[in-house]
């Protein structure tokens, strides 16, 4: 749908992270990360918990502040003190592990509060677009429902639709299926697969290895705050080079 | 004597009932019912009090409460936001204010506002008893409710503000459209409790003096008591207070129950 409405034709990675360092007090979580996502590319980030993959994702729309290094969104350094964070975030869709829908608002209001309140879109147009997006995630009949009346899988699909309503240039997924019951994971992955097929630029932190294998253009394996290995899924997932990646994947397969 | 635990319980409960019955009988026979009736439930005096006890007493109590609560809620919201601010002087002011006015008797604050300020500055809060009294109680209630609102804000999950910010909302817009509506839902029961306390605290307005038309329920009844040399007006006031507060406390309990269910 959003056939990339880049305001200025920027040539280069959608997301470029250079030498990124992040610490929580004494604990260094990111130890000099170099990372990028090209326009239209789907990058899955995998790794054991505590490896810093979610922190990296959250740094990219500055939900976490980094201490050193650069993050460039379509060429613009967002770690710069003068960077307009609010404006930056309207271009980056974010999907959380816990969905984080607004429980006091209907599904429709959840979807339009950003476009109307932040992007100053016309309310009727925003409503129409929101309904279209709900249809895309298969929940056209839930317009007036409240989030608490939806299943986890439905809530996460609404959350994806909410992000899409901002017509973002790229989307970040922070373990989008980790809080879901196993039987609800498929419906969310289906929506994400469609998005990927349509050319959305996506960074996905996930434990769904087979999904990563199928959908990702590139897989990044992180451990201990550094990128250990990266490449096409067939290399990183089927034929890992490092012991740490081998061990991690073996543990996953044992489950 | 060997008794099973069940028998022990039965003996205990029976003897407690017996004791209660004895006390009730003693009170019933020893009490001077004629005197109690004449002094506390005198129907002639009751009839004399109406309709002014409603038109003046209850009416003023409700007006004073509503005004104190409304202004207090605004103070509380501003204080709660200051208390959570990253700006240290704001935070320090809010903490100082809250600790000061929670620590003082409301009566002292009222006297300060009603007499201290006019003495010091030759200026008094406009509106007479209504203005000074409401302002005084609002200042005190603001301190209490600020902590309630802060707790409500902190009870909203962090993911809510993260989701709002990730849509590009500013901090202020996030606070007013996402966080506060959820926070207020959480704190309706404690806020209603604060309202009940305020209803009773308006009886402190008497220290500010009053005209015939500005008496609230307690002052009205006390003056009537002095006039009639009889305690019946106090009984009437007590019943009227309960008629206002009991439905509210009942409402709080229901809200708390439904809130517990929602979780």
């Amino acid at each position: 749908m959003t056939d990339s409405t880049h305001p200025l034709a920027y040539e280069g990675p959608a997301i470029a992270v250079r030498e990124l360092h992040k610490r929580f007090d004494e604990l260094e979580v990111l130890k000099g990360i170099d990372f990028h996502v090209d326009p239209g590319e789907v990058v899955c980030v995998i790794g054991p918990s505590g490896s810093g993959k979610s922190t990296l994702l959250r740094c990219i729309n500055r939900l976490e502040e980094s201490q050193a290094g650069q993050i460039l969104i379509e060429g613009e350094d967002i770690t710069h003190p003068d960077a307009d964070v609010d404006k930056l975030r309207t271009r980056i869709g974010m999907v959380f592990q816990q969905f984080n829908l607004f429980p006091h608002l209907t599904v429709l209001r959840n979807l339009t509060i950003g476009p109307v309140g932040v992007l100053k879109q016309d309310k009727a147009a925003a409503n129409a677009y929101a309904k279209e997006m709900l249809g895309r995630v298969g929940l056209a009949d839930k317009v007036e429902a409240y989030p608490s009346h939806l299943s986890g899988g439905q809530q996460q699909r609404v959350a994806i639709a909410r992000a899409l309503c901002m017509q973002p240039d790229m989307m970040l997924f922070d373990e989008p299926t980790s809080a879901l019951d196993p039987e609800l994971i498929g419906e969310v992955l289906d929506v994400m697969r469609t998005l990927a097929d349509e050319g959305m630029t996506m960074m996905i932190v996930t434990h769904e290895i087979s999904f990563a294998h199928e959908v990702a253009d590139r897989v990044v394996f992180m451990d201990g705050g550094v990128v250990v290995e990266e490449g096409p899924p067939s290399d990183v997932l089927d034929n890992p080079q490092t012991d740490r990646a081998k061990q991690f994947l073996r543990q996953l397969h044992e489950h | 004597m060997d008794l099973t635990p069940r028998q022990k319980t039965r003996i205990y409960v029976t003897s407690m009932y017996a004791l209660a019955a004895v006390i009730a009988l003693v009170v019933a026979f020893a009490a001077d019912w004629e005197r109690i009736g004449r002094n506390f439930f005198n129907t002639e005096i009751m009839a004399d009090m109406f309709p002014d006890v409603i038109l003046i007493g209850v009416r003023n109590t409700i007006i004073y409460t509503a005004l104190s609560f409304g202004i207090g809620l605004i103070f509380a919201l501003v204080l709660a936001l200051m208390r959570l601010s990253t700006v240290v002087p704001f935070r320090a002011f809010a903490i100082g204010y809250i600790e000061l006015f929670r620590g003082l008797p409301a009566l002292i604050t009222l006297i300060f506002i009603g007499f201290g300020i006019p003495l010091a500055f030759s200026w008094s809060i406009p509106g007479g008893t209504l203005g000074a009294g409401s302002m005084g109680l609002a200042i005190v209630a603001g301190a209490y409710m600020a902590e309630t609102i802060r707790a409500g804000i902190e009870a909203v999950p962090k993911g809510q503000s993260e989701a709002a910010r990730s849509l590009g909302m500013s901090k202020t817009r996030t606070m007013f459209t996402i966080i506060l509506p959820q926070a207020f839902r959480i704190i309706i029961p404690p806020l209603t409790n604060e309202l009940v306390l305020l209803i009773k605290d308006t009886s402190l307005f008497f220290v500010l003096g009053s005209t015939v038309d500005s008496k609230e329920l307690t002052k009205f009844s006390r003056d009537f008591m002095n006039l009639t040399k009889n305690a019946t007006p106090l009984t009437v006031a007590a019943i009227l207070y309960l008629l206002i507060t009991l439905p509210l406390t009942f409402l709080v309990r229901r809200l708390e129950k439904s809130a517990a269910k929602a979780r």
Side-chain angles (χ1 to χ4, degrees), chain A residues 9-251:
Chain A
Y10 165 75
E11 305 271 335
I15 302 168
V17 174
R18 290 181 193 151
E19 265 303 302
L20 195 70
H21 287 265
K22 160 78 185 170
R23 56 168 71 248
F24 292 109
D25 297 324
E26 290 302 292
L27 184 70
E28 191 169 29
V29 215
L30 299 179
K31 302 170 182 166
I33 299 277
D34 285 295
F35 173 85
H36 73 279
V37 182
D38 286 325
E41 192 182 24
V42 177
V43 176
C44 284
V45 183
I46 61 169
S49 51
S51 59
K53 53 195 194 305
S54 280
T55 307
L56 171 63
L57 180 137
R58 288 163 58 84
C59 281
I60 287 170
N61 71 350
R62 283 188 56 184
L63 283 179
E64 303 287 353
E65 297 292 343
S66 47
Q67 275 82 39
Q70 271 188 322
I71 302 168
L72 302 159
I73 300 296
E74 290 167 347
E76 182 190 336
D77 185 359
I78 60 147
T79 52
H80 194 276
D82 293 337
D84 185 345
V85 189
D86 291 341
K87 198 160 176 210
L88 159 85
R89 287 175 176 149
T90 63
R91 287 153 53 193
I92 306 176
M94 172 99 180
V95 175
F96 298 86
Q97 182 177 351
Q98 299 293 341
F99 332 134
N100 294 344
L101 294 180
F102 306 129
H104 62 302
L105 302 177
T106 62
V107 164
L108 186 65
R109 284 281 291 145
N110 264 279
L111 266 59
T112 56
I113 193 165
V116 174
V118 179
L119 301 178
K120 308 295 174 201
Q121 282 177 12
D122 173 60
K123 204 172 172 184
N127 281 349
Y129 193 72
K131 285 174 184 166
E132 191 189 322
M133 290 305 109
L134 270 183
R136 283 180 44 114
V137 299
L139 293 170
D141 56 330
K142 301 293 184 191
V143 172
E144 292 303 324
Y146 280 88
S148 57
H149 294 133
L150 303 179
S151 73
Q154 290 173 330
Q155 289 192 44
Q156 192 61 298
R157 281 144 71 197
V158 171
I160 294 173
R162 174 173 70 181
L164 288 175
C165 279
M166 299 294 286
Q167 293 173 273
D169 296 343
M170 62 200 77
M171 301 225 347
L172 310 177
F173 294 83
D174 187 7
E175 302 196 28
T177 57
S178 297
L180 292 174
D181 292 335
E183 75 272 20
L184 302 177
I185 291 176
E187 60 191 69
V188 173
L189 292 182
D190 285 344
V191 170
M192 292 169 61
R193 192 176 291 119
T194 315
L195 269 179
D197 290 345
E198 286 168 359
M200 174 61 81
T201 308
M202 293 160 79
M203 171 182 178
I204 306 167
V205 170
T206 186
H207 294 293
E208 296 291 328
I209 297 300
S210 60
F211 174 78
H213 205 300
E214 175 198 345
V215 172
D217 298 310
R218 193 152 46 84
V219 172
V220 173
F221 173 73
M222 279 179 72
D223 191 17
V226 294
V227 172
V228 177
E229 206 167 318
E230 66 178 303
S234 49
D235 287 1
V236 178
L237 297 176
D238 298 339
N239 192 17
Q241 298 302 306
T242 58
D243 289 342
R244 282 194 279 182
K246 280 177 194 164
Q247 193 195 352
F248 173 71
L249 288 165
R250 200 180 316 125
Q251 279 169 345

Side-chain angles (χ1 to χ4, degrees), chain B residues 46-60 212-213 215-217 220-221 224 236 240:
Chain B
M46 281 185 188
D48 277 352
M49 291 177 75
F50 287 90
D52 279 359
V53 66
I54 305 285
L55 294 181
I56 296 174
V58 171
R59 177 174 161 272
N60 283 331
V212 177
D213 288 331
K215 292 173 185 172
E216 43 65 51
L217 190 49
F220 182 94
S221 308
F224 222 89
V236 172
L240 288 172

Side-chain angles (χ1 to χ4, degrees), chain B residues 124-186:
Chain B
S124 56
I125 291 173
T129 304
L130 176 67
S134 303
M135 189 53 75
L137 277 194
I139 286 172
V140 178
Y144 282 98
M145 291 194 287
E147 285 294 86
T148 309
I149 294 178
R150 179 178 70 99
I153 290 173
E154 287 178 340
V156 177
K158 201 165 162 258
Q160 288 293 310
S161 76
E162 287 184 353
R165 297 305 304 276
S166 75
L167 289 172
M169 288 191 205
S170 65
K171 265 188 183 167
T172 315
R173 182 182 286 277
T174 300
M175 180 55 80
F176 283 93
T177 62
I178 302 299
I179 307 298
L180 283 178
Q182 295 185 56
F184 269 95
R185 241 161 261 208
I186 298 170

Side-chain angles (χ1 to χ4, degrees), chain B:
Chain B
M1 200 163 66
D2 274 339
L3 290 173
T4 65
R6 199 171 171 182
Q7 282 170 318
K8 276 185 196 160
T9 311
R10 197 177 300 157
I11 289 172
Y12 173 76
V13 171
T14 314
S15 53
M16 282 299 132
Y17 271 107
L19 182 63
V22 169
I23 292 172
L25 283 173
V26 169
V27 169
F29 283 106
D32 185 343
W33 288 109
E34 190 275 328
R35 176 174 280 201
I36 289 174
R38 179 158 39 81
N39 279 292
F40 290 99
F41 300 97
N42 189 319
T43 47
E44 276 169 45
I45 292 175
M46 281 185 188
D48 277 352
M49 291 177 75
F50 287 90
D52 279 359
V53 66
I54 305 285
L55 294 181
I56 296 174
V58 171
R59 177 174 161 272
N60 283 331
T61 291
I62 290 177
I63 292 176
Y64 297 163
T65 306
L67 212 60
S68 310
F69 189 72
I71 302 172
L73 205 55
I74 296 170
F75 285 177
L77 183 57
V78 174
L79 284 165
L81 293 177
M82 288 173 88
R83 176 78 176 73
L84 294 168
S85 163
T86 46
V87 184
V88 175
F90 281 176
R91 221 161 56 212
F93 173 84
I95 292 172
Y97 178 105
I98 291 166
E99 293 307 329
L100 175 66
F101 288 107
R102 283 202 309 183
L104 292 179
L107 197 53
I108 295 271
T109 307
L110 276 182
I111 296 171
F112 252 110
I113 301 288
F115 300 108
I117 289 180
L119 272 178
F121 304 108
S122 316
W123 177 85
S124 56
I125 291 173
T129 304
L130 176 67
S134 303
M135 189 53 75
L137 277 194
I139 286 172
V140 178
Y144 282 98
M145 291 194 287
E147 285 294 86
T148 309
I149 294 178
R150 179 178 70 99
I153 290 173
E154 287 178 340
V156 177
K158 201 165 162 258
Q160 288 293 310
S161 76
E162 287 184 353
R165 297 305 304 276
S166 75
L167 289 172
M169 288 191 205
S170 65
K171 265 188 183 167
T172 315
R173 182 182 286 277
T174 300
M175 180 55 80
F176 283 93
T177 62
I178 302 299
I179 307 298
L180 283 178
Q182 295 185 56
F184 269 95
R185 241 161 261 208
I186 298 170
I187 59 173
I188 283 175
L191 280 187
T192 315
N193 260 331
E194 187 59 35
L195 180 65
V196 171
L197 292 178
L198 264 184
I199 292 170
K200 298 182 290 177
D201 278 353
T202 53
S203 61
L204 298 173
F205 273 45
F206 79 91
V207 292
L208 301 173
S210 53
T211 62
V212 177
D213 288 331
S214 73
K215 292 173 185 172
E216 43 65 51
L217 190 49
T218 301
K219 174 70 174 159
F220 182 94
S221 308
R222 256 171 29 125
D223 287 356
F224 222 89
M225 185 167 83
N226 290 339
L227 205 71
T228 56
K229 306 279 179 279
N230 188 291
T232 301
L234 279 190
T235 312
V236 172
I239 292 169
L240 288 172
Y241 271 118
L242 288 175
L243 280 179
I244 304 171
T245 55
L246 282 183
L248 279 174
T249 47
F250 178 73
L251 183 72
V252 174
R253 213 169 305 147
R254 276 195 43 182
L255 289 170
E256 277 172 347
K257 256 189 205 153
S258 64
K261 244 187 239 159
R263 257 164 229 157

